[in-house]
Amino acid sequence: MNRKGKKIKHYKGSFDTGKFRRRRIFRWILLLVVLFGASYFLAPPILDMGAHVWYSVLKNESTSTDTPEVSATPDPEATPSPTPEPTPEPEPQGDWSVVSTESVANGEIAQQTAQQLAAQGVKYAVIPLKTGDGVVHYASTIPLAAGSLSATPFDAAAAASVFQQAGIIPVAEIWAYQDPIAPYTDRTIAVEYGTSGQGMLWLDNSVAAGGKPWLNPYSAGAQQYIKDLALEAVSLGYKQVIFRGLQFPQVKSLAGAAFGDTAGKSFDAVLNETIQQLQSALSEKGAKCWFQYSAAAVTGEDLIPAGVPVGSLSMERLLIELPSEMPDPSLVFSSVASASGEKFKGLRFATAPDETLRQLAEQNGFSQLVIG
């Protein structure tokens, strides 16, 4: 009888003993430990590389190995930031008011004056430091001014500070060559009579008619005196200066007047030279110059005040003194505006102008109005 062999079936669970299960679990634990250790050591460089690539793409940088890595915090010494250009502060718009020396005689009076002007909307206070009679009204330390000091000089620095605290810009007013006192202090800087060097002062009229001497516009000493006063004013707190009397003597004829060595310079040449020196010297100190002349001198109708048409002078800022009577103000305004060219211009009124005159002034390009 044929006997068929029996098939032997193998079941998975046949060898799934406790020993085999422990080995399987041990292998899985070992694999997890290996993977964890690998990720611990490999993750930081992988993340760094990924971050570098990411930021490089954002900044359109090359990802080649030759490209140096950029630090997240730039070295301020290696990449200095450019210094921005300062933006000049706009000048305040408003009237300029001329105050008397009595209005700043002491701190209390100056404070009252400043408060009154501030209440009126005044933005600039013009304070006479040296007047046309040659008197220096503040306690100047300039040696040549010693013989010209007022009997009751005021504290110019204190006055400037009071107006600044009230929101008003203090402006110094200085008369230049029209000065009948300084020539007696130093005759070498004055206009002389006849042959220069004789020490005889030239007068703008007879002694009986009250003739007075003048400083010599050609004199380097006279020029320096005016500049020294202006720079001293700036040091005391005055950021703008109005120069008056920067001209030749107010006479119809200068026959007999001796100006010394003129170096061949004409009247307008020497005045222009002085104007440039003053503008440059004050500009270095952050201050501005104004030069005041009459409307007739600007248009050339009257050459006596300057000896030359003021329109030919090269000042940056021109203050035009208006006549007391103007039958046709619009004609006067347009005439002086045309004659003065592209200068920055202001008008000086004896009394406060009405609204019509203000509008005419603005229409003709005069943004600054000085009253007084």
Side-chain angles (χ1 to χ4, degrees), residues 50-230:
H52 178 72
V53 173
W54 174 253
Y55 285 109
S56 297
V57 171
L58 289 179
K59 297 179 181 179
N60 294 323
E61 296 178 348
S62 173
T63 58
S64 67
T65 56
D66 294 334
T67 303
E69 186 176 350
V70 180
S71 173
T73 304
D75 184 1
E77 295 184 358
T79 56
S81 58
T83 303
E85 290 293 330
T87 302
E89 295 183 2
E91 293 189 16
Q93 297 298 315
D95 286 343
W96 297 42
S97 180
V98 180
V99 302
S100 65
T101 55
E102 291 78 13
S103 299
V104 292
N106 57 52
E108 183 179 354
I109 296 176
Q111 190 170 26
Q112 293 175 357
T113 302
Q115 292 174 350
Q116 291 173 358
L117 294 180
Q120 298 169 11
V122 172
K123 296 301 181 182
Y124 298 83
V126 180
I127 303 176
L129 299 188
K130 179 176 181 283
T131 47
D133 55 4
V135 176
V136 176
H137 292 273
Y138 69 103
S140 174
T141 61
I142 306 302
L144 190 54
S148 304
L149 293 182
S150 166
T152 55
F154 66 89
D155 189 334
S161 177
V162 166
F163 282 98
Q164 288 174 349
Q165 293 173 9
I168 298 175
I169 297 175
V171 181
E173 183 178 76
I174 296 175
W175 282 73
Y177 302 132
Q178 184 174 334
D179 183 339
I181 298 179
Y184 289 106
T185 302
D186 185 353
R187 292 173 178 262
T188 65
I189 64 174
V191 179
E192 296 184 326
Y193 181 78
T195 305
S196 61
Q198 300 299 316
M200 184 178 295
L201 296 180
W202 175 90
L203 305 180
D204 57 10
N205 208 330
S206 66
V207 175
K212 297 178 178 59
W214 280 63
L215 291 176
N216 183 358
Y218 283 98
S219 167
Q223 296 170 9
Q224 187 64 45
Y225 177 42
I226 302 307
K227 184 166 69 174
D228 287 345
L229 289 172

Side-chain angles (χ1 to χ4, degrees), residues 31-46:
L31 179 61
L32 290 174
V33 170
V34 172
L35 290 176
F36 179 80
S39 63
Y40 179 83
F41 291 103
L42 294 178
I46 293 173

Side-chain angles (χ1 to χ4, degrees), residues 267-308:
F267 282 2
D268 58 341
V270 72
L271 290 179
N272 268 320
E273 185 178 272
T274 303
I275 288 170
Q276 292 298 329
Q277 290 176 356
L278 291 172
Q279 289 181 157
S280 177
L282 269 67
S283 177
E284 291 178 358
K285 301 297 183 181
K288 299 175 182 178
C289 297
W290 290 84
F291 298 89
Q292 179 175 323
Y293 294 94
S294 68
V298 173
T299 60
E301 297 176 12
D302 185 0
L303 298 183
I304 290 177
V308 296

